[in-house]
Amino acid sequence: TPQYFAVNISVCHKSIDSTFHMERSRLRGVLGRLTCCSRRQLVIHHVHASLMHDASAHAGDNVRASLTDAATYVALRLDSLSVEELTSILLCLRGSETASVAACCQGIGRLLAGDTMIWNSFLRQEFHVEGVQQVNATMYRTMCSRKRCRKIEWRRVPVSRGPRNLSANPHMFCWRDHVFILGGWSFGGYGHDLLACKVVVPLEFYVVNVSGSPPPDSYHAALTLLRDETIEAGSADALHVLVTGGYIFNGHHQESNRYGILEIKVDRDDEVQARWTNGGVIPARANHSATFVPPSIAGDTFPKGYVLLLGGIQAHSTSRSADILDLSTFDSHRYSSALSSQDAWSARNSHSATLVRQDDGTHAILVLGGGTGDGHNGNSPRGGRDCDEVNWVCGLENASLQIHQASGHEPSIGRGHIACRLPCTNTIL
């Protein structure tokens, strides 16, 4: 049986083309009822010739409408629409909502089965994925599963050659099918080597020769990947890694005021090359967070983006200040006044700060956990108290920073945890 759907156009003089540019929420509500809407169930009225002449001429016998003082109701036969019109309708939905629509129209079913461009659009709209070569419904299902994250399974990974006794917050990250480890503390000394291995079982780490001038050796520094994680990884030729601060001496003494940027490249033969490209001075701090705000979010003031350094320990004391490192000029700016005026924000260290996209389309940084231990009460691992408050840092565009405490009941996170956002989602693990 041919299927129809009804669209309410709030202004009666609009043409039929307006039905394909409606608000997402309204059209979703209409199409959500398709499964119970058949030709026999839908009352189709005659077109009011004097006011619907243009719509009638555009869609012919496939359009019927009735005009009232409040609104215009238009019925369209789905299997008579063009591919472009069907695509416009579907893109007002989420990909997960198209199954019920496909059940009502064979043309939509064929479109969803064979058109990779429409799944590319779904991925762009819902997960902000760009530049992916192989796009289909399977990848979309993978992203939906990643977003829900209903199951986590721990597995022990065999390692035939790797680091030993590496502690004090070594940094671990993945890029181009390789695992990298940088920093930490090993056998009573600094773990300053860059280790790498191909993601194959068993893992076999090796030391990468790194050229250039690194920042001073430190531990409990912050490491930041300077890449836009709203875009699926793999398109960039090189990965840039920012290292800031940390402790210079054993026993959590003397915070470092240096930063360095490490450039990593992987060629077609899986050979890893690395070099330190930039270095400079920042306000000294350790046990802090450093979050990259990419150019697409940072605003015109920061054409290459910036890094927000938040909290941590400064001069042996837990801090609530914030610094901005401008990646265009590599100048640092103190923004403590913008955050210290907020009552919800308290000094902390050993917390996490993760960039996420909010429901309204804007971006914010979610600050979780932390502690208040410092040089005055037993140091960061053991002193002070755990911070259970959850805070949002908003106003990221042009660094007009504001912070407020999240509403609702959040889990107790505490200090020294690891928080990572599953790529292209708002799910934080």
Side-chain angles (χ1 to χ4, degrees), residues 363-402:
H363 289 78
I365 295 174
L366 183 62
V367 182
L368 298 172
T372 62
D374 54 29
H376 303 288
N377 58 18
N379 284 326
S380 56
R382 293 168 290 276
R385 67 171 183 89
D386 286 344
C387 297
D388 295 331
E389 306 89 357
V390 177
N391 293 278
W392 287 101
V393 179
C394 304
L396 302 183
E397 185 175 0
N398 297 320
S400 301
L401 303 178
Q402 299 176 352

Side-chain angles (χ1 to χ4, degrees), residues 183-255:
W185 186 272
S186 178
F187 293 109
Y190 298 101
H192 55 263
D193 289 331
L194 174 65
L195 306 178
C197 76
K198 181 76 174 175
V199 183
V200 294
V201 177
L203 299 180
E204 296 185 4
F205 284 92
Y206 58 91
V207 178
V208 178
N209 293 323
V210 182
S211 61
S213 300
D217 287 335
S218 64
Y219 61 97
H220 286 302
L223 181 141
T224 309
L225 303 183
L226 301 181
R227 71 180 185 191
D228 189 348
E229 293 191 352
T230 62
I231 300 175
E232 193 74 358
S235 58
D237 294 331
L239 175 66
H240 293 92
V241 181
L242 173 69
V243 180
T244 55
Y247 294 107
I248 295 178
F249 297 127
N250 193 8
H252 302 89
H253 291 299
Q254 190 168 338
E255 301 85 21

Side-chain angles (χ1 to χ4, degrees), residues 57-68:
H58 174 78
D61 294 336
N62 297 317
V63 176
R64 303 290 186 271
S66 66
L67 295 178
T68 67

